[in-house]
Amino acid sequence: MTASVDPDRSTWDVVVLGGAAAGENAAQYASQFSGLSSVLVEDSLVGGECSYWACMPSKALLRPVEVVDAAAHLPGVSAGLDAAEVLALRDRVVNHRDDTSQISWALSTGIDVVRGYGRLTGERTLVVTHPDGSTRTVTAEHAVVVDTGSRPSVPDVPGLRAALPWTSRDVTSMEEVPRRVVILGGGVVACEAATWLRGLGVDEVSLVYRDTHLLARQEPFAGTLVAQTLRDSGVRLYPEHNLAQVKRADPRDTGHGHVHGGEVSVTLDDGTTVVADEIVVATGRIPNTDDIGLETVGLRPGGYIGVDDQQCVEGVSGNWLYAIGDVCGRALLTHMGKYQARIAGEAIAARARGSSAELPSSAAGHVGLPQVVFTDPEVGSAGMTEQQARDAGKDVEIVEYDLAALAGTYVLRPDYRGRAKLVVDRADDVVLGATFVGTGIAELVHSATTAIVGRIPLSTLWHVVPSYPTVSEIWLRLLETLRAQRHQDDERK
């Protein structure tokens, strides 16, 4: 599909450059709150990275592994895994990378779609280059929203790029399960990929990362517990290491998820050599802002786009240019990009009505910053870590609890391993941050986000009674432990 419903149309109220999940939300919210017309300009698949190469396929690969692992830890229960069937499930989840249904949704919602690569050419104006090379000028009456996302970063290591490494896109799209894999990185993508690769039957998984802990942006105990499980499953960990050199015989590009040639020889900075069939690079991402025409509106291309709390781009006059999702660098998470899109859409609608007093703000939502890492064990967090809170000058109290001590977690698995931590603002007696590590904790994150964004006093949280026996009982145990700590402090005084 190369054009919208009306191929001759050139002007809409709102033009969204990039049709990923956040872009879809921005167009939807701008339209539904004021009836503004909107169009998505997308040169790849409508739905974006999360739908086809990131969140959705990775969870489709992780869920069967999680189920089999859970069964293995419950007496009297067993389960098996067919790798080919799991890959087939992944393909169904991503609609075989066909965005027909996404385009149909957009059109049914009143959002037009223009297929092609868009570049800004000046205020409220873009030129779109269609797949056949033809061009089309698109103009926005009210706003342009940039949602061009990000791409994997590949370090400049001798021989690495020539070896045609897999990135996050390749590893979620693989069509065969390799026998040996080296993963470079210790963050979310690296840890989740190591979990599903080992679970799908990769014999040798090696994880090379420069930090002392996995998941370095989380509380330290999170990375420690994930590392323990990975080691127990047979994954080899190489902390505090970098790559010195990569060599590959007969590298050839045969497409996403296909074998790229001969075996890979990876030399670490201490001289250790690891040999594998594939190397996965998971060392961060780069915003796609280097070729979208930012220079035509006075901005420097190639980096993150600075925005205010309405997601309006800083340094551009007129309140017509917005940026959401990965390109603004505030939080590289799909759900946060969609939140930013809702704020931007409402702000655009309010300004179109001339109601600037009604402008929403994304400041409160970024305070919560929820995230779940779907490893074994799961890692869920919201708000600040202890170190982040101290760096921000907060006077904090810390309370931790062993999740394995709950009745609800024992029912999940008798050998449960996990931990929970709250970071509390001593002055205001509210939660600043929360981290949960363990099986079945993903749904706890929303309660923590609610407590943080709502600034609910601990005295009120005390009356929020958790059901029994569930993992949510951890809230009661954390509050009880904090009360006990405070009582001991009072006695010492």
Side-chain angles (χ1 to χ4, degrees):
M1 183 173 183
T2 59
S4 67
V5 176
D6 180 359
D8 297 321
R9 185 171 183 173
S10 61
T11 303
W12 286 262
D13 292 321
V14 180
V15 176
V16 181
L17 180 55
E24 291 175 322
N25 270 190
Q28 179 187 9
Y29 269 66
S31 297
Q32 74 181 26
F33 282 101
S34 284
L36 300 177
S37 61
S38 60
V39 62
L40 300 174
V41 177
E42 175 58 63
D43 72 316
S44 183
L45 297 177
V46 174
E49 196 79 11
C50 181
S51 298
Y52 305 102
W53 298 285
C55 314
M56 296 304 292
S58 66
K59 302 315 171 284
L61 295 168
L62 285 161
R63 178 58 178 160
V65 173
E66 176 191 7
V67 169
V68 170
D69 181 71
H73 289 267
L74 285 173
V77 181
S78 63
L81 186 149
D82 184 319
E85 287 297 320
V86 173
L87 295 181
L89 169 66
R90 181 270 324 271
D91 290 342
R92 292 193 297 273
V93 167
V94 301
N95 288 321
H96 300 276
R97 288 184 286 281
D98 180 341
D99 64 356
T100 301
S101 62
Q102 296 275 47
I103 293 176
S104 296
W105 171 84
L107 297 178
S108 69
T109 311
I111 302 168
D112 288 337
V113 178
V114 169
R115 184 81 82 189
Y117 192 93
R119 294 178 180 86
L120 289 162
T121 57
E123 184 173 335
R124 296 184 176 87
T125 305
L126 299 87
V127 167
V128 180
T129 302
H130 297 302
D132 63 4
S134 63
T135 61
R136 173 181 187 174
T137 298
V138 172
T139 302
E141 289 285 352
H142 293 290
V144 173
V145 183
V146 178
D147 178 38
T148 48
S150 63
R151 62 188 183 276
S153 172
V154 179
D156 190 17
V157 174
L160 177 59
R161 293 174 185 170
L164 301 178
W166 280 1
T167 65
S168 55
R169 280 197 170 200
D170 301 291
V171 72
T172 59
S173 304
M174 64 181 185
E175 296 184 355
E176 302 172 4
V177 178
R179 188 173 68 84
R180 302 166 299 176
V181 177
V182 173
I183 303 173
L184 177 60
V188 176
V189 173
C191 291
E192 289 189 348
T195 301
W196 85 62
L197 287 169
R198 186 71 179 128
L200 288 176
V202 175
D203 292 332
E204 298 177 13
V205 178
S206 302
L207 204 54
V208 181
Y209 51 102
R210 64 186 180 187
D211 292 300
T212 56
H213 285 82
L214 294 173
L215 303 173
R217 295 182 180 179
Q218 300 281 349
E219 296 285 2
F221 69 84
T224 299
L225 287 168
V226 171
Q228 184 177 352
T229 301
L230 287 173
R231 284 197 186 95
D232 290 349
S233 73
V235 175
R236 293 184 293 184
L237 304 183
Y238 295 90
E240 300 183 87
H241 279 80
N242 288 303
L243 299 191
Q245 187 178 44
V246 178
K247 294 182 180 180
R248 183 170 211 163
D250 188 28
R252 58 186 184 278
D253 189 353
T254 55
H256 289 308
H258 295 260
V259 176
H260 282 161
E263 69 179 18
V264 182
S265 177
V266 177
T267 303
L268 307 186
D269 49 11
D270 65 352
T272 300
T273 298
V274 182
V275 178
D277 300 299
E278 295 293 345
I279 178 170
V280 178
V281 176
T283 54
R285 301 184 69 82
I286 301 170
N288 292 324
T289 59
D290 48 343
D291 187 28
I292 59 171
L294 291 180
E295 67 280 1
T296 68
V297 294
L299 298 176
R300 179 176 295 181
Y304 291 114
I305 302 174
V307 297
D308 62 19
D309 285 336
Q310 284 74 48
Q311 300 299 133
C312 201
V313 175
E314 297 172 332
V316 177
S317 61
N319 295 324
W320 64 270
L321 186 61
Y322 296 74
I324 58 176
D326 288 8
V327 293
C328 69
R330 299 185 74 179
L332 275 65
L333 298 163
T334 297
H335 47 275
M336 294 306 297
K338 294 174 74 171
Y339 168 67
Q340 294 161 6
R342 296 193 293 271
I343 296 295
E346 291 179 10
I348 292 167
R351 283 176 168 143
R353 295 192 302 267
S355 305
S356 58
E358 302 174 12
L359 291 179
S361 171
S362 61
H366 283 94
V367 170
L369 199 62
Q371 181 177 17
V372 178
V373 186
F374 293 89
T375 45
D376 179 14
E378 293 172 345
V379 177
S381 61
M384 297 179 173
T385 63
E386 177 183 353
Q387 189 60 54
Q388 289 168 342
R390 295 191 186 281
D391 290 345
K394 302 291 185 180
D395 180 15
V396 300
E397 290 180 277
I398 304 302
V399 59
E400 299 187 39
Y401 198 84
D402 182 2
L403 272 161
L406 301 177
T409 57
Y410 182 80
V411 171
L412 285 179
R413 51 197 301 171
D415 59 348
Y416 195 100
R417 282 195 303 221
R419 193 150 195 84
K421 178 176 181 176
L422 294 183
V423 180
V424 177
D425 186 323
R426 194 186 304 271
D428 294 335
D429 205 35
V430 295
V431 179
L432 295 173
T435 300
F436 309 99
V437 181
T439 299
I441 58 82
E443 300 302 334
L444 284 177
V445 174
H446 192 64
S447 58
T449 309
T450 301
I452 294 166
V453 174
R455 294 185 59 81
I456 302 174
L458 297 191
S459 59
T460 300
L461 287 178
W462 180 255
H463 299 285
V464 181
V465 181
S467 300
Y468 180 91
T470 65
V471 185
S472 62
E473 192 182 6
I474 187 60
W475 279 102
L476 172 60
R477 301 306 172 208
L478 285 166
L479 294 175
E480 287 177 336
T481 303
L482 183 59
R483 278 192 169 190
Q485 289 176 186
R486 289 176 173 179
H487 180 69
Q488 292 173 356
D489 289 344
D490 290 340
E491 287 189 333
R492 282 193 291 268
K493 294 175 184 177

